[in-house]
Amino acid sequence: MAAGNVNPFNVSDSEEEAEQRQDGADTERSPSDEAQGHSLGPFSPPAYSDPAALLSSNRTSPSVDGIPASAAAVSGIGAETRVSLDAIAAQLLRDQYILTALELHTELLEAGRELPRLRDYFSNPGNFERQSGTPPACKEQGVGPGGPLTAQVQDVKRRKKDAHLRDRAGSISTLDSLDFARYSDDGNRESDERVAVLEFELRKAKETIQALRANLTQAAECEIASQERKNYKSSPETQEPIRPLEKRALNFLVNEYLLKNEYKLTSITFSDENDDQDFELWDDVGLNIPKPPDLLQLYRNCGNSQPLHRDNVDVAVSVDPSDLPGDYFTQEPVQQTDVIQQQQQQEVVQELEYQISLLNSEKQSLAEQIKKLQSDIQALQRNVSSEPTAGVKSTPSKENPKCDKPPLDNGQYLDIRGVTETDSSSDTTKTSTSTTIATDCTENSTTATQPHSKLKANGQQSKSSVQFDQPNRKLSPAFHQALLSFCRMSADSRLGSEVSRIADSEQSVMLMLGRCLPHIVPNVLLAKREELIPLILCTACLHPEPKERDQLLHILFNLIKRPDDEQRQMILTGCVAFAQHVGPTRVEAELLPQCWEQINHKYPERRLLVAEACGALAPYLPKEIRSSLVLSMLQQMLADDKADMVREAVVKSLGVIMGYIDDPDKYSQGFELMLLSLGDPSERVVSATHQVFIPAFAAWCTELGNLQSQLIPSLLTRIEKLLKGEYGLDEHKLHMYLSALQSLIPSLFAVLLQNAPFTSRVKLQGDVPPIEVTRFPRPASPLQDVATIVGSREQLAVLLHLYDHQLQHEGTTGWDSLLWVVNQFLPQIIDIVGRINVTSSTCVHEFSRFFWRLCRTFGKIFTNTKVKPQFQEILRLSEENVDATAGNGILTKATVPIYATGVLTCYNQEEDRKLLVGFLEDVMTTLSLSHAPLDSLKASFVELGANPAYHELLLTVLWYGVVHTSALVRCTAARMFERVLRGMSEALIDKRVAPALITLCSGPEFSVRISTIPAFGTIMETVTQKELLERVKMQLASFLEDPQYQDQHSLHMEIIKTFGRVGPNAEPRFRDEFVLPHLHKLALCNNQQTVESKRIDIATQLFEAYSALSCCFISEELMVNHFLPGLRCLRTDMEQLSPEHEVILSSMIKECEIKVENKAIGEAQGSISIAASLVGEDAKTKFLSKMGQLTTSGAMLANVFQRKK
């Protein structure tokens, strides 16, 4: 992988390494290198390739970018010789005097004498950042002062020095030495440093990409070898294969043509099939490549271009331009005397003569090797020709002593291009041997330039020898070779070379797949690319080259642009198989970087693949990486990713990580991740947290012993802080913490079972009764199933049997985990329940579900002996427990509804239902007789009324209040009917509720009768049965029309309030015939009210009722006869009592009057529109009849609709 890739495995080298490499560069210029130039073998270039570098008597004189530091030699000739500014600048940059060089550059700019060297240096931002230990001044030359000829020598030295530095410098980051813990989020400043590191690496990656694209552009131009070019020139009918650069340029032009000519769908498809290219940016084709004209212009000019006449001239030179310094041709000419120039030219000639002598010695050495190999080849050919049959066999080859390391591709394949046994091919052998030595020094035969050349084999015998029938002919081998050349086979292209070689070993198969797969994948349909996953994975597992493996894994993760669920599962399955095969080291070094590179991919499906891969690979990673790098990656994605499905996968992978982590120091980080996941705005992320993360985190806390000592107390502490908040209760956070506690209940119960005194007596026996289906609440996921946590359902059955026996007969002595629940956890949570707002239905519901799940999980014996006694001790049902004045008694708190709905409803047997009925009756009686607020009782009825299974039970409690001797209790019962009617069946309302309400209305107390009005209004709002509605209507009419109720101010207030509440939702007929007329009467009567307080009370209630009813549809008749007159009466009251209300009423009256006027105008317009529509219909009929008579063609028909000019 390139050094600039944005991943944590390539970190910038330290400054110490940069200094050591700089010192190493000076060492490489020492005179000892000259003596070593001959000892490196004939394949090594001479130690000095810079001609002018040899002029100075001091070989260690500084040189930057290949510029010979010949100032000393020049100064030795004459003292008057001036040193050039370019040499001074080079010396300053070489010695890292950057500020001095900058001052010189500034002064030269002001004087108008700008130096290209300083301009290029200070305009390149890469010179001022650390880059793998290379000083900025030397990074352009790359190969040191010796020039390109010494590249191999210095490369060997540099590798040795780098190995030495890795041994002694701990700051160099490699895959083996990198401390991934530094990337974790522990500490106070690591996150800021990590952001800075990532920004730096991103910037470096962009620069590296630009440089690589420039190199690839140049390399693409020279991709086809000279032999292939010669072949194509000799065969005009054969077209030269397209180069990558040409392909990208043509793709860009084709896509541009499609877009310009409105072939958008075709362009989209074309872009999908070439997803590795950005069609919006021409620079993506290649740097410094001018954009050609579009396809249309090229087509128009293709026949007009005249070929340019060029003269071919053979030129021979003694100096290769690559041997000269990199900026040799860009230096400014230095004004020197003719004597100095002649002296330098002589020295250059001497240096070139020295290099020629070295090259001659190398040539002689290579010639000796060629002769030796030719003799070996001739001996092998004689051995083959002496065989009785002309079978194709492989012969052992002599190992070349000059080769230090055999290549990975040892030629273990069969070349189907044939075999020759001629001794007359010495010329071909001579020309091909040198190439063979440079490419494969273990090969024992050469590759001929013609097809049907040789059989390639290594030093091992072929696994199977193939025999062919040979004709009994006496044709010469040369004639055979020439004859076979007429068989048209393409063995000189890349694909032809692969086809002509058949692998006969596993390693060569892997090498072949590694070469071919990158060319196969882009040409496979996107919908079928998952079929390539087995091939890619198998090759990536077994391929010996790390670079090729990295490329294959990169192809795997980029195989599909937006993989769906099934495709991602296939890729993940392959990644797990790869990890199981190669082990943790290669998973860390090869798979994790692929995940890191895609962590910020623009497609959420790709980021989702990364998130899922982190969890799937967790079991196969080193534990240090698992708890540091992978955990930090997932935490970053959880905090930053905007896609819900990605964060959901992140949470699930974090749960998997929690199942494998074993570093106790990561507990606090895991707790923060839990809170972060619970606070996510997406419901699917929160659900994944409860299903996967919290059970896995709880299991780890259980092993650490932190479940009861840290995790649960931390959540309780946060709930208590919420209740003490100055700005009110944050119900969302309360739900978040309480739901986490609820998800921890199975783990807490499992801890009780596993730490119980009877664990030593656990034995799997066949006579243990099975677990009842309804014994435990339905778990949110298998990880919350107690049987899964304990180990098996059989194990759980045995533990439950012993658990019940222990609670019922042996007690809890010595059972610390259970005593903590009874003595610390339950009292604290019950105290919290007493402090929440009883009017908050959300809080009451959440705590009720929590206690219901707690009691069902811990069992009936635990609930009856440990939970209920603690509630009953607090809820002593007596008037002493009720503070009637302040309403602070315990019976007015949320403890009552939570105990009734969360604890008493856990079990539904007869004795449990009787206990619940008795508790509610006692609470209703106590609160009524104490004149206490009824909020706790209302909350209990609302929570229980939401479940139809408790409707009969609630009606039983209310009937107890209906027949109670105390009018206070009967009033309370009447008001409670309103809370249970919603959701109740009409049959129950008809048979149980309506008779009870009529019974209450028949009593002597007016307060009881008034208390029934809201319940009657709710019936009118929710019931559709006509007979029942008529009965309720008659009862309400009696309240309004009976003379005994005319002076009942509270009754009128309650009726108006009820009308305003149920009027918009009641049956329209009831609203039009009953509600609006009676509101009009009440408003009219209120104008004559003499008591000002009563008048303002009625007026206020009427204002609320009319405001609610104004949103309903009211017919014009009702608007004129009842609604508007009632509003005017109400405005009369408000003019005297509440002027601010009078303004609103005036606007309401004005709006209603406008509506009435618009309706009248609309009716008049409606009659006109009816007549117009009749005329329009007649015109349309005539027009269609005329159209039917037309017999003209379509073209003439179109002319009918054209405007006349």
Side-chain angles (χ1 to χ4, degrees):
M1 296 179 64
N5 282 351
V6 184
N7 60 61
F9 303 99
N10 288 329
V11 186
S12 300
D13 296 335
S14 63
E15 296 179 0
E16 179 184 355
E17 180 186 356
E19 295 173 359
Q20 290 170 343
R21 288 195 177 185
Q22 185 174 346
D23 296 340
D26 296 339
T27 306
E28 289 176 359
R29 302 184 184 95
S30 63
S32 61
D33 291 347
E34 183 178 1
Q36 295 175 358
H38 301 282
S39 63
L40 293 176
F43 298 104
S44 301
Y48 294 96
S49 62
D50 187 355
L54 300 172
L55 302 180
S56 174
S57 59
N58 183 9
R59 290 276 186 175
T60 61
S61 59
S63 169
V64 180
D65 292 343
I67 296 300
S70 57
V74 174
S75 62
I77 298 174
E80 296 181 358
T81 303
R82 296 180 59 187
V83 179
S84 66
L85 291 175
D86 191 72
I88 295 173
Q91 180 67 21
L92 291 176
L93 294 179
R94 187 262 172 258
D95 293 338
Q96 295 290 296
Y97 296 128
I98 306 300
L99 293 179
T100 307
L102 181 60
E103 291 181 3
L104 176 61
H105 179 53
T106 305
E107 292 179 358
L108 290 176
L109 278 177
E110 294 175 354
R113 300 170 58 192
E114 182 181 21
L115 283 178
R117 175 185 304 280
L118 294 178
R119 178 194 63 204
D120 295 341
Y121 181 84
F122 288 110
S123 63
N124 185 4
N127 291 326
F128 307 101
E129 298 172 349
R130 295 184 300 169
Q131 298 188 13
S132 66
T134 303
C138 301
K139 73 177 176 182
E140 300 235 352
Q141 64 185 6
V143 295
L149 285 178
T150 61
Q152 294 182 349
V153 177
Q154 293 190 14
D155 187 63
V156 172
K157 292 181 180 181
R158 188 173 291 108
R159 286 199 298 268
K160 293 181 179 178
K161 185 173 292 295
D162 290 346
H164 173 67
L165 289 176
R166 281 194 293 270
D167 293 336
R168 55 174 295 197
S171 63
I172 298 177
S173 298
T174 64
L175 287 176
D176 298 324
S177 65
L178 185 59
D179 182 13
F180 288 97
R182 62 182 287 201
Y183 293 95
S184 67
D185 293 334
D186 296 339
N188 299 325
R189 60 186 178 87
E190 281 76 4
S191 59
D192 295 337
E193 294 178 356
R194 183 168 173 274
V195 171
V197 169
L198 290 177
E199 291 177 351
F200 170 76
E201 291 178 348
L202 179 60
R203 188 166 60 254
K204 295 306 299 173
K206 291 180 179 178
E207 296 175 2
T208 304
I209 288 171
Q210 295 296 330
L212 289 176
R213 283 169 58 189
N215 295 337
L216 288 175
T217 302
Q218 184 177 2
E221 294 288 349
C222 307
E223 185 181 17
I224 300 181
S226 60
Q227 181 62 35
E228 296 177 357
R229 295 178 181 272
K230 184 185 299 182
N231 183 51
Y232 294 129
K233 291 179 181 178
S234 62
S235 303
E237 68 278 8
T238 305
Q239 186 179 1
E240 182 177 343
I242 189 171
R243 306 174 191 171
L245 176 63
E246 295 171 343
K247 179 181 179 182
R248 296 174 70 85
L250 288 176
N251 286 346
F252 187 90
L253 295 176
V254 169
N255 186 72
E256 184 182 43
Y257 167 78
L258 293 174
L259 289 176
K260 285 183 178 180
N261 293 274
E262 300 298 328
Y263 298 116
K264 294 183 178 179
L265 294 178
T266 309
S267 174
I268 293 173
T269 306
F270 188 71
S271 300
D272 289 339
E273 293 177 346
N274 296 276
D275 57 350
D276 59 339
Q277 184 172 350
D278 185 2
F279 288 106
E280 296 180 359
L281 185 64
W282 169 257
D283 287 340
D284 186 65
V285 174
L287 292 182
N288 302 323
I289 302 298
K291 182 180 177 182
D294 56 15
L295 286 181
L296 179 60
Q297 192 68 24
L298 290 174
Y299 174 74
R300 289 173 177 174
N301 298 335
C302 65
N304 300 330
S305 59
Q306 296 296 331
L308 297 177
H309 177 70
R310 296 181 181 179
D311 294 330
N312 295 327
V313 180
D314 294 330
V315 180
V317 295
S318 300
V319 182
D320 188 354
S322 62
D323 294 340
L324 296 178
D327 55 354
Y328 182 83
F329 299 101
T330 62
Q331 300 181 18
E332 286 188 356
V334 181
Q335 300 296 331
Q336 295 180 344
T337 62
D338 295 339
V339 178
I340 296 175
Q341 292 178 356
Q342 292 176 1
Q343 182 69 24
Q344 289 181 346
Q345 290 174 0
Q346 292 175 1
E347 292 174 349
V348 169
V349 170
Q350 293 175 2
E351 171 61 21
L352 293 177
E353 290 176 351
Y354 171 70
Q355 292 184 6
I356 290 172
S357 64
L358 293 179
L359 292 175
N360 288 332
S361 62
E362 181 180 352
K363 177 182 176 182
Q364 294 175 1
S365 176
L366 292 176
E368 293 176 358
Q369 291 187 13
I370 290 172
K371 292 179 180 179
K372 185 177 181 181
L373 290 174
Q374 286 178 352
S375 62
D376 292 342
I377 291 171
Q378 293 175 359
L380 291 174
Q381 289 175 348
R382 286 193 294 270
N383 293 336
V384 172
S385 61
S386 63
E387 292 290 334
T389 61
V392 181
K393 296 183 180 180
S394 61
T395 58
S397 63
K398 295 182 180 179
E399 186 176 358
N400 192 343
K402 300 295 182 181
C403 182
D404 296 333
K405 179 181 178 182
L408 293 171
D409 190 353
N410 290 327
Q412 294 180 354
Y413 51 81
L414 296 176
D415 195 334
I416 66 171
R417 290 177 291 185
V419 58
T420 61
E421 300 175 359
T422 178
D423 294 334
S424 62
S425 60
S426 58
D427 295 336
T428 303
T429 305
K430 290 178 181 179
T431 58
S432 61
T433 303
S434 59
T435 305
T436 306
I437 294 173
T439 56
D440 190 351
C441 57
T442 64
E443 210 164 327
N444 58 10
S445 62
T446 61
T447 303
T449 57
Q450 301 89 357
H452 313 288
S453 61
K454 293 293 177 183
L455 169 68
K456 297 183 179 180
N458 65 350
Q460 299 177 353
Q461 292 290 338
S462 300
K463 296 182 179 179
S464 62
S465 61
V466 183
Q467 304 291 335
F468 295 99
D469 293 334
Q470 297 295 330
N472 189 12
R473 301 291 298 275
K474 296 181 180 180
L475 297 176
S476 66
F479 187 85
H480 270 292
Q481 186 71 23
L483 184 62
L484 290 176
S485 65
F486 286 95
C487 298
R488 297 179 57 83
M489 289 188 291
S490 175
D492 294 318
S493 63
R494 180 196 63 79
L495 185 58
S497 176
E498 296 293 347
V499 172
S500 64
R501 299 185 298 181
I502 297 179
D504 64 348
S505 68
E506 296 177 357
Q507 187 180 31
S508 54
V509 170
M510 290 301 106
L511 295 172
M512 180 270 294
L513 288 174
R515 291 189 301 267
C516 294
L517 278 174
H519 300 278
I520 296 174
V521 171
N523 299 306
V524 178
L525 291 175
L526 291 174
K528 294 297 182 182
R529 285 192 179 177
E530 64 267 19
E531 300 292 340
L532 294 172
I533 293 176
L535 274 178
I536 296 173
L537 282 168
C538 183
T539 309
C541 283
L542 303 177
H543 203 285
E545 283 289 344
K547 185 177 180 180
E548 295 295 329
R549 296 200 301 266
D550 181 75
Q551 181 185 7
L552 289 168
L553 291 176
H554 181 76
I555 291 174
L556 175 66
F557 274 81
N558 295 274
L559 189 64
I560 304 167
K561 182 182 292 186
R562 307 184 76 162
D564 56 23
D565 290 341
E566 185 176 354
Q567 291 167 338
R568 287 197 308 274
Q569 290 176 11
M570 289 299 103
I571 295 175
L572 290 177
T573 304
C575 289
V576 170
F578 178 88
Q580 292 173 343
H581 184 81
V582 302
T585 303
R586 281 183 58 182
V587 174
E588 172 192 348
E590 298 177 11
L591 271 184
L592 269 189
Q594 302 298 333
C595 296
W596 181 270
E597 289 177 359
Q598 309 235 357
I599 194 173
N600 292 317
H601 200 277
K602 65 178 179 179
Y603 292 131
E605 291 85 357
R606 299 281 279 276
R607 303 197 302 273
L608 181 59
L609 177 63
V610 172
E612 293 172 342
C614 288
L617 296 175
Y620 311 103
L621 288 168
K623 61 181 181 180
E624 297 83 3
I625 302 300
R626 192 187 298 140
S627 59
S628 59
L629 177 63
V630 179
L631 193 63
S632 299
M633 286 171 57
L634 292 173
Q635 185 173 11
Q636 176 186 345
M637 295 182 72
L638 179 62
D640 299 341
D641 206 291
K642 297 180 181 180
D644 295 349
M645 61 179 181
V646 177
R647 297 199 306 276
E648 179 187 12
V650 167
V651 169
K652 292 180 180 179
S653 294
L654 281 172
V656 177
I657 295 293
M658 289 299 144
Y660 285 89
I661 199 169
D662 56 0
D663 184 2
D665 296 335
K666 296 296 180 181
Y667 165 78
S668 58
Q669 187 177 359
F671 184 76
E672 294 300 326
L673 285 172
M674 181 185 73
L675 297 182
L676 181 63
S677 305
L678 288 170
D680 195 276
S682 173
E683 187 63 31
R684 60 192 299 178
V685 178
V686 176
S687 177
T689 305
H690 289 292
Q691 293 176 4
V692 183
F693 184 84
I694 291 181
F697 186 60
W700 183 40
C701 292
T702 301
E703 295 180 18
L704 295 177
N706 294 343
L707 184 65
Q708 294 178 316
S709 60
Q710 292 188 33
L711 181 55
I712 295 178
S714 298
L715 292 172
L716 292 175
T717 303
R718 279 169 168 77
I719 293 176
E720 290 180 339
K721 287 182 180 179
L722 284 178
L723 296 176
K724 296 177 182 178
E726 299 178 358
Y727 304 102
L729 180 63
D730 189 344
E731 293 187 356
H732 174 70
K733 285 190 175 181
L734 178 65
H735 167 72
M736 184 175 76
Y737 297 143
L738 199 59
S739 63
L741 279 177
Q742 186 170 321
S743 297
L744 291 173
I745 290 175
S747 300
L748 180 61
F749 184 64
V751 170
L752 263 64
L753 294 179
Q754 293 168 349
N755 296 329
F758 52 76
T759 52
S760 59
R761 307 195 305 267
V762 174
K763 293 181 181 180
L764 293 177
Q765 301 173 356
D767 56 350
V768 176
I771 304 173
E772 296 180 4
V773 178
T774 59
R775 169 63 178 83
F776 292 101
R778 178 174 296 179
S781 74
L783 296 177
Q784 289 191 8
D785 190 351
V786 182
T788 304
I789 299 174
V790 171
S792 66
R793 199 159 185 85
E794 294 76 13
Q795 181 83 2
L796 179 61
V798 175
L799 289 173
L800 285 178
H801 178 72
L802 297 174
Y803 167 78
D804 292 338
H805 182 271
Q806 181 82 19
L807 287 178
Q808 197 166 8
H809 301 288
E810 300 182 14
T812 59
T813 305
W815 199 345
D816 296 335
S817 55
L818 182 68
L819 291 175
W820 178 86
V821 174
V822 175
N823 299 329
Q824 297 185 37
F825 177 66
L826 280 177
Q828 187 175 3
I829 197 72
I830 291 174
D831 178 66
I832 290 173
V833 163
R835 286 186 281 163
I836 67 172
N837 186 6
V838 68
T839 59
S840 174
S841 59
T842 303
C843 295
V844 172
H845 177 73
E846 292 291 339
F847 276 97
S848 297
R849 300 308 301 167
F850 172 78
F851 273 99
W852 185 87
R853 187 169 289 272
L854 177 73
C855 295
R856 287 300 301 265
T857 302
F858 280 73
K860 188 171 184 178
I861 298 175
F862 181 87
T863 302
N864 292 334
T865 59
K866 306 299 180 185
V867 180
K868 288 182 180 178
Q870 295 198 30
F871 274 99
Q872 290 168 357
E873 184 180 356
I874 296 174
L875 297 171
R876 289 190 295 272
L877 297 176
S878 63
E879 297 184 15
E880 299 174 358
N881 265 351
V882 180
D883 188 348
T885 58
N888 293 329
I890 191 64
L891 291 181
T892 62
K893 301 295 182 182
T895 311
V896 170
I898 291 172
Y899 175 60
T901 60
V903 179
L904 297 181
T905 60
C906 288
Y907 299 96
N908 203 23
Q909 297 181 359
E910 187 62 29
E911 59 271 16
D912 302 310
R913 297 176 69 87
K914 288 182 179 179
L915 184 61
L916 177 59
V917 169
F919 175 74
L920 291 176
E921 291 174 351
D922 293 342
V923 170
M924 182 172 62
T925 304
T926 305
L927 292 177
S928 301
L929 297 178
S930 304
H931 299 278
L934 302 176
D935 293 331
S936 60
L937 188 63
K938 291 178 181 177
S940 303
F941 274 80
V942 169
E943 186 70 21
L944 291 172
N947 188 353
Y950 293 103
H951 286 171
E952 287 278 0
L953 184 145
L954 293 176
L955 291 177
T956 302
V957 175
L958 291 177
W959 184 253
Y960 166 81
V962 169
V963 297
H964 200 276
T965 56
S966 172
L968 296 174
V969 178
R970 294 201 300 275
C971 284
T972 302
R975 295 193 177 277
M976 290 302 109
F977 273 110
E978 179 191 357
R979 305 293 172 177
V980 300
L981 283 173
R982 299 184 186 277
M984 187 176 290
S985 65
E986 294 189 6
L988 275 178
I989 295 175
D990 188 23
K991 294 180 181 178
R992 301 284 300 275
V993 178
L997 291 174
I998 293 175
T999 301
L1000 290 172
C1001 291
S1002 62
E1005 295 86 358
F1006 281 103
S1007 60
V1008 177
R1009 299 178 186 179
I1010 294 172
S1011 299
T1012 61
I1013 293 175
F1016 281 123
T1018 304
I1019 293 176
M1020 296 298 297
E1021 185 181 10
T1022 57
V1023 175
T1024 58
Q1025 187 178 346
K1026 291 184 179 180
E1027 294 79 4
L1028 181 58
L1029 289 176
E1030 288 297 327
R1031 290 163 59 190
V1032 173
K1033 184 178 176 181
M1034 291 175 58
Q1035 185 62 48
L1036 291 175
S1038 67
F1039 286 147
L1040 290 169
E1041 298 171 1
D1042 196 331
Q1044 62 176 334
Y1045 299 116
Q1046 288 183 357
D1047 297 330
Q1048 292 296 325
H1049 175 72
S1050 57
L1051 183 142
H1052 293 160
M1053 288 277 294
E1054 195 67 46
I1055 285 182
I1056 296 172
K1057 183 178 179 181
T1058 302
F1059 282 174
R1061 177 173 59 86
V1062 305
N1065 302 321
E1067 187 183 15
R1069 182 183 173 188
F1070 172 72
R1071 180 176 63 243
D1072 296 342
E1073 297 179 359
F1074 189 81
V1075 175
L1076 290 176
H1078 282 92
L1079 282 178
H1080 181 200
K1081 290 181 182 179
L1082 290 170
L1084 189 60
C1085 294
N1086 196 49
N1087 289 148
Q1088 293 142 19
Q1089 177 63 253
T1090 57
V1091 181
E1092 186 174 346
S1093 60
K1094 292 182 179 180
R1095 187 178 180 186
I1096 188 63
D1097 290 342
I1098 296 292
T1100 303
Q1101 290 297 331
L1102 283 172
F1103 178 80
E1104 296 294 336
Y1106 272 110
S1107 298
L1109 291 170
S1110 63
C1111 302
C1112 303
F1113 173 77
I1114 301 173
S1115 64
E1116 182 184 0
E1117 182 181 357
L1118 285 172
M1119 184 73 73
V1120 174
N1121 296 334
H1122 295 294
F1123 196 80
L1124 274 174
L1127 283 177
R1128 294 190 181 101
C1129 293
L1130 181 58
R1131 183 175 61 178
T1132 303
D1133 292 335
M1134 289 301 182
E1135 287 176 352
Q1136 303 176 9
L1137 303 175
S1138 180
E1140 63 273 10
H1141 287 84
E1142 188 268 337
V1143 176
I1144 300 174
L1145 284 171
S1146 297
S1147 64
M1148 290 174 61
I1149 292 172
K1150 188 174 181 180
E1151 289 179 2
C1152 292
E1153 291 174 347
I1154 292 174
K1155 287 181 181 180
V1156 173
E1157 293 176 1
N1158 290 339
K1159 286 182 179 179
I1161 296 173
E1163 289 178 356
Q1165 291 179 348
S1167 60
I1168 296 174
S1169 64
I1170 292 173
S1173 64
L1174 293 175
V1175 174
E1177 287 292 331
D1178 184 49
K1180 186 170 80 170
T1181 304
K1182 291 181 179 179
F1183 173 76
L1184 292 177
S1185 64
K1186 293 292 185 183
M1187 291 291 293
Q1189 296 172 4
L1190 289 174
T1191 58
T1192 56
S1193 63
M1196 296 179 63
L1197 185 63
N1199 296 329
V1200 175
F1201 299 98
Q1202 291 183 355
R1203 181 180 298 176
K1204 291 184 179 180
K1205 297 182 181 179

